[in-house]
């Protein structure tokens, strides 16, 4: 049965920092090799919030604009149903009209040095859904998957907000992969937001000796336990460095995964790691971070690694979600209609009343 596609749709449109508006815009038309997708849910990410506020460091380049490009539709973590595509796209992605799908947040060029080497997540043009006009995002009723996109089917049995969590979960799993966790490692995860909870679940799947979660909110630490954390520490009341050193005969943790985005979490990690430990940074920071680099070099000879996006981890994230092992009803705390996008942004900015906030197009 053919789906009737309207001529116009509701969409959130960026007009600059602190100026996002709900507008009626034309429904996009797919070109050769592309797909038109009806959006079912789109999550609001910390990077969406930083772009909304115009954080200059979001792009990592002072010569770039400090916010998403104007007249772009935000939203890079989403799920939806295919309503139109040609044979070329159907064959490339092994999908059909009616399939529920997700797409990686980056649309690679497949021509630059990084793409040619398989490191497509570092693609030089770096077209992400929801930040550039070339790749409009999912805060809308419909969106286009370009021919270059990476697309995966996902179960229709999952609630839409849960399926849209594939994106942050894939990011968390990539950070875990970067850490090269071993069976006898003590792994510490800083921050029990969406990324941190995914890191905990991913680290637990590696079956190390201990996975320890840090946060200042008891409710989020309870979620960390449900995701598999062996030990939780409220850093507002307890000293994580001392507790972890006591647990490890004075040595310190083997691996530290940072997912808070707070500058204080960086020296915390450097101090609680053992010599020759591994530090993995995932967060997008609003402010500059200053640390004593001699801890990294002369004192401990640490491996300090960055992590960006979720390359090669999307199939694993989908399997984890479809397994039902994660407490997704407790992670996906808020689903709001698209028209209440500002309330959603404010909830994420507050940080104390939600875990994952999603928008549901009407």
């Amino acid at each position: 049965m053919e789906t009737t596609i309207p001529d116009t749709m509701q969409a959130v449109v960026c007009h600059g920092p602190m100026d996002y508006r709900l507008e009626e815009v034309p429904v996009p038309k797919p070109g050769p090799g592309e797909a038109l997708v009806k959006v079912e849910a789109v999550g609001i990410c910390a990077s969406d919030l930083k772009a909304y506020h115009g954080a200059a460091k979001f792009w990592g380049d002072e010569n770039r604009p400090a916010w998403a490009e104007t007249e772009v539709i935000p939203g890079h973590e989403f799920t939806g149903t295919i309503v139109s595509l040609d044979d070329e796209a159907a064959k490339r992605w092994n999908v059909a009209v009616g399939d529920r799908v997700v797409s990686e947040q980056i649309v690679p060029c497949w021509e630059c040095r990084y793409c040619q080497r398989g490191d497509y997540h570092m693609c030089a043009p770096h077209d992400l859904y929801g930040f550039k006009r070339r790749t409009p995002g999912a805060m809308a009723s419909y969106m286009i998957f370009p021919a270059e996109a990476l697309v995966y089917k996902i179960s229709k049995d999952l609630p839409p907000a849960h399926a849209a969590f594939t994106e942050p979960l894939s990011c968390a799993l990539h950070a875990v992969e970067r850490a090269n966790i071993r069976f006898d490692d003590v792994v510490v995860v800083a921050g029990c937001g969406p990324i941190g909870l995914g890191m905990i679940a991913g680290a637990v799947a590696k079956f190390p000796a201990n996975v320890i979660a840090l946060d200042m909110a008891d409710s989020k630490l309870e979620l960390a336990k449900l995701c598999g954390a062996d030990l939780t520490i409220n850093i507002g009341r307890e000293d994580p460095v001392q507790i972890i050193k006591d647990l490890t005969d004075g040595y310190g943790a083997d691996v530290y995964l940072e997912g808070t985005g707070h500058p204080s979490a960086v020296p915390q990690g450097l101090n609680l790691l053992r010599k020759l430990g591994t530090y993995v940074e995932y967060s997008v920071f609003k402010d500059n971070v200053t640390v004593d680099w001699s801890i990294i070099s002369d004192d401990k000879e640490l491996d300090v690694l960055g992590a960006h996006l979720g390359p090669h981890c999307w199939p694993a994230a989908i399997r984890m979600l479809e397994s039902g092992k994660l407490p997704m009803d407790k992670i996906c705390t808020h689903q709001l209609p698209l028209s209440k996008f500002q309330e959603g942004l404010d909830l994420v900015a507050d940080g104390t009343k939600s875990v994952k906030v999603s928008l549901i197009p009407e």
Side-chain angles (χ1 to χ4, degrees):
M1 185 175 69
E2 290 189 6
T3 301
T4 301
I5 301 169
D7 294 326
T8 63
M9 66 179 184
Q10 282 192 329
V12 177
V13 180
C14 167
H15 290 275
M18 309 286 286
D19 187 8
Y20 285 22
R21 308 173 198 170
L22 188 69
E23 298 179 358
E24 194 77 13
V25 301
V27 172
K29 298 186 183 301
E34 297 183 335
L36 179 66
V37 175
K38 191 176 192 301
V39 179
E40 295 181 55
V42 52
I44 301 177
C45 174
S47 60
D48 289 318
L49 190 67
K50 289 177 174 67
Y52 172 72
H53 286 291
K57 289 299 181 184
F58 173 75
W59 289 113
D61 184 343
E62 297 293 353
N63 296 317
R64 277 181 153 179
W67 52 85
E69 291 181 354
T70 56
E71 300 179 12
V72 74
I73 298 170
H76 63 276
E77 47 182 71
F78 49 79
T79 191
T81 301
I82 295 175
V83 294
S84 176
L85 80 170
D86 61 16
D87 291 341
E88 176 190 341
K91 182 177 180 181
R92 183 192 318 111
W93 296 322
N94 189 29
V95 296
V97 169
D99 284 343
R100 175 188 270 177
V101 287
V102 292
S103 178
E104 295 203 26
Q105 65 281 77
I106 191 164
V107 181
C109 71
W110 301 115
E111 295 178 356
C112 71
R113 176 179 184 178
Y114 303 108
C115 286
Q116 289 292 318
R117 293 184 176 190
D119 298 319
Y120 64 88
H121 64 302
M122 300 307 295
C123 173
H126 222 71
D127 291 337
L128 297 172
Y129 288 111
F131 295 103
K132 294 186 180 182
R133 296 187 197 99
R134 289 192 294 270
T135 47
M139 290 189 189
S141 301
Y142 294 87
M143 67 183 299
I144 293 290
F145 285 2
E148 298 82 9
L150 291 154
V151 177
Y152 308 91
K153 286 187 281 191
I154 188 166
S155 173
K156 292 182 180 181
D157 294 333
L158 294 172
H162 298 191
F165 196 74
T166 309
E167 193 275 346
L169 183 55
S170 72
C171 293
L173 296 184
H174 176 51
V176 170
E177 289 278 73
R178 293 281 282 160
N180 291 315
I181 293 169
R182 299 180 179 182
F183 292 130
D184 61 350
D185 281 347
V186 172
V187 180
V188 177
V189 177
C192 298
I195 296 292
L197 293 170
M199 289 174 174
I200 291 165
V204 168
K206 296 287 187 178
F207 209 67
N210 282 289
V211 176
I212 302 171
L214 312 181
D215 205 283
M216 296 185 69
D218 289 333
S219 59
K220 291 183 178 178
L221 291 171
E222 287 301 314
L223 266 181
K225 292 178 183 177
L226 293 176
C227 289
D230 301 298
L231 175 67
T232 60
I233 301 173
N234 187 314
I235 63 171
R237 297 194 300 264
E238 302 173 286
D239 179 3
V241 176
Q242 190 59 53
I243 291 173
I244 290 164
K245 286 190 174 180
D246 290 345
L247 182 69
T248 57
D249 297 325
Y251 288 102
D254 302 280
V255 174
Y256 182 82
L257 301 167
E258 202 291 300
T260 70
H262 196 283
S264 65
V266 180
Q268 172 183 263
L270 299 179
N271 286 320
L272 62 76
L273 280 169
R274 64 166 172 82
K275 294 178 180 180
L276 302 174
T278 299
Y279 180 114
V280 179
E281 182 58 65
Y282 194 87
S283 294
V284 177
F285 288 93
K286 179 173 70 71
D287 302 308
N288 289 333
V289 180
T290 301
V291 298
D292 179 359
W293 276 75
S294 62
I295 298 173
I296 297 168
S297 57
D298 189 49
D299 291 357
K300 293 186 176 181
E301 195 176 318
L302 300 176
D303 287 333
V304 178
L305 304 170
H308 178 59
L309 306 185
H312 311 294
C313 291
W314 283 67
I318 291 169
R319 290 197 303 272
M320 188 173 284
L321 288 170
E322 291 179 345
S323 74
K325 293 180 179 178
L326 295 179
M328 292 305 302
D329 284 335
K330 297 180 183 297
I331 293 174
C332 294
T333 52
H334 293 76
Q335 293 90 52
L336 306 173
L338 189 65
S339 58
K340 293 188 177 181
F341 73 92
Q342 188 63 58
E343 181 180 334
L345 288 167
D346 293 342
L347 269 170
V348 177
D350 176 271
T352 64
K353 301 174 183 176
S354 66
V355 182
K356 171 52 65 178
V357 178
S358 301
L359 301 175
I360 310 296
E362 293 89 343

